[in-house]
Amino acid sequence: MLNIALPKGRLGDKVYELLDSIGYHCRSIYEDSRKLVFENPETGVRYLLVKPSDVAIYVAHGAADVGIVGKDILEESRPDVYELLDLNIGKCRMAVAAKADYEEDTSRTLRVATKFENIAKRYYADLNRDIEIIHLNGSIELAPILGLSDVIVDIVESGNTLRENNLKVVTEFMPISARLIANKSSFKFKNQIICEMTEKLSSITAL
Ligand code: PRP
């Protein structure tokens, strides 16, 4: 059995459709919305539905052989896994954003609200800019509106969340998309099936 960690939600649904289309189907996945493990002995796949930010943890620890995860999460946590393929879906950008009337004042420490603490720290370290991180877990856009931070470092996809909250993009600095990752020892011991899956996925997701 190949254990595949799928991110729960929209991205996972898209990824499952891709895998289904290249032969790794498991129809029961559509049946019970509270079940977290689905397997199909015929196709040899077992799907594990996990929180998107946990996919790399399951794969790094070998609880899943492969998984699909956003580049943002890989950059944030830098897990010890192989990154095999860019699936060219789930595309968005990591950006610095602020209130529409924001002006940079380099004489002050910049207060940065984000859930991507490591990405933000690395980005500002490269710019030699002193920052204070305010770690939030969601609704990051609220922080500058309430004066909790000067800027946010967050994902921008359509830009609607920023627009609807009167915020603007200051800089976009990292393109993001979904990646296929593999556990290092699974890649060795289940090499044939993992490479086969990677090649099939690659042929349908190429730019
Ligand atoms: C993400 C991100 C932004 C939003 C961007 O939030 O943090 O808030 O999507 O998308 P848009 O540019 O298309 O509006 P998510 O929906 O993951 O919820 P969160 O607030 O819990 O982070």
Side-chain angles (χ1 to χ4, degrees):
M1 276 280 175
L2 187 72
N3 294 304
I4 306 173
L6 272 187
K8 275 200 278 185
R10 218 156 32 107
L11 178 61
D13 295 345
K14 270 195 208 165
V15 172
Y16 174 72
E17 280 166 28
L18 286 181
L19 289 166
D20 185 343
S21 74
I22 55 170
Y24 302 99
H25 53 83
C26 181
R27 305 271 182 251
S28 58
I29 211 162
Y30 294 117
E31 285 163 14
D32 185 339
S33 63
R34 301 306 296 174
K35 250 177 85 174
L36 300 170
V37 181
F38 299 90
E39 59 183 55
N40 184 349
E42 278 169 36
T43 52
V45 289
R46 181 184 292 126
Y47 288 101
L48 316 168
L49 301 193
V50 311
K51 204 174 141 93
S53 52
D54 289 341
V55 166
I57 299 173
Y58 282 81
V59 174
H61 289 270
D65 299 307
V66 296
I68 290 85
V69 62
K71 185 67 175 171
D72 51 328
I73 290 160
L74 293 179
E75 282 296 319
E76 178 61 17
S77 59
R78 301 217 161 151
D80 190 20
V81 297
Y82 291 133
E83 189 182 317
L84 300 179
L85 186 67
D86 183 347
L87 297 177
N88 287 312
I89 58 172
K91 287 188 173 187
C92 51
R93 292 91 57 203
M94 189 63 70
V96 177
K99 276 168 72 172
D101 60 359
Y102 167 76
E103 282 174 33
E104 169 76 321
D105 175 0
T106 48
S107 65
R108 285 180 47 237
T109 298
L110 189 71
R111 294 169 307 149
V112 182
T114 188
K115 56 182 168 189
F116 299 100
E117 199 169 325
N118 296 325
I119 291 175
K121 280 182 183 161
R122 282 201 301 270
Y123 174 72
Y124 284 106
D126 285 348
L127 297 175
N128 274 323
R129 182 79 166 92
D130 280 336
I131 62 164
E132 176 198 340
I133 291 277
I134 295 146
H135 190 103
L136 296 175
N137 296 303
S139 301
I140 318 293
E141 291 82 0
L142 267 178
I145 296 171
L146 300 177
L148 179 62
S149 75
D150 302 307
V151 299
I152 62 173
V153 167
D154 200 14
I155 284 166
V156 177
E157 191 179 351
S158 64
N160 287 341
T161 312
L162 292 182
R163 259 190 304 279
E164 287 179 24
N165 289 289
N166 294 318
L167 302 176
K168 66 175 179 188
V169 169
V170 177
T171 332
E172 290 178 349
F173 62 93
M174 184 192 289
I176 293 164
S177 56
R179 308 297 161 103
L180 176 69
I181 58 171
N183 172 268
K184 288 188 168 175
S185 70
S186 300
F187 189 71
K188 201 166 159 190
F189 295 109
K190 299 187 181 180
N191 188 269
Q192 198 186 336
I193 176 168
I194 293 176
C195 287
E196 215 173 274
M197 174 177 279
T198 308
E199 273 163 34
K200 285 184 187 165
L201 274 174
S202 161
S203 67
I204 58 165
T205 58
L207 275 176

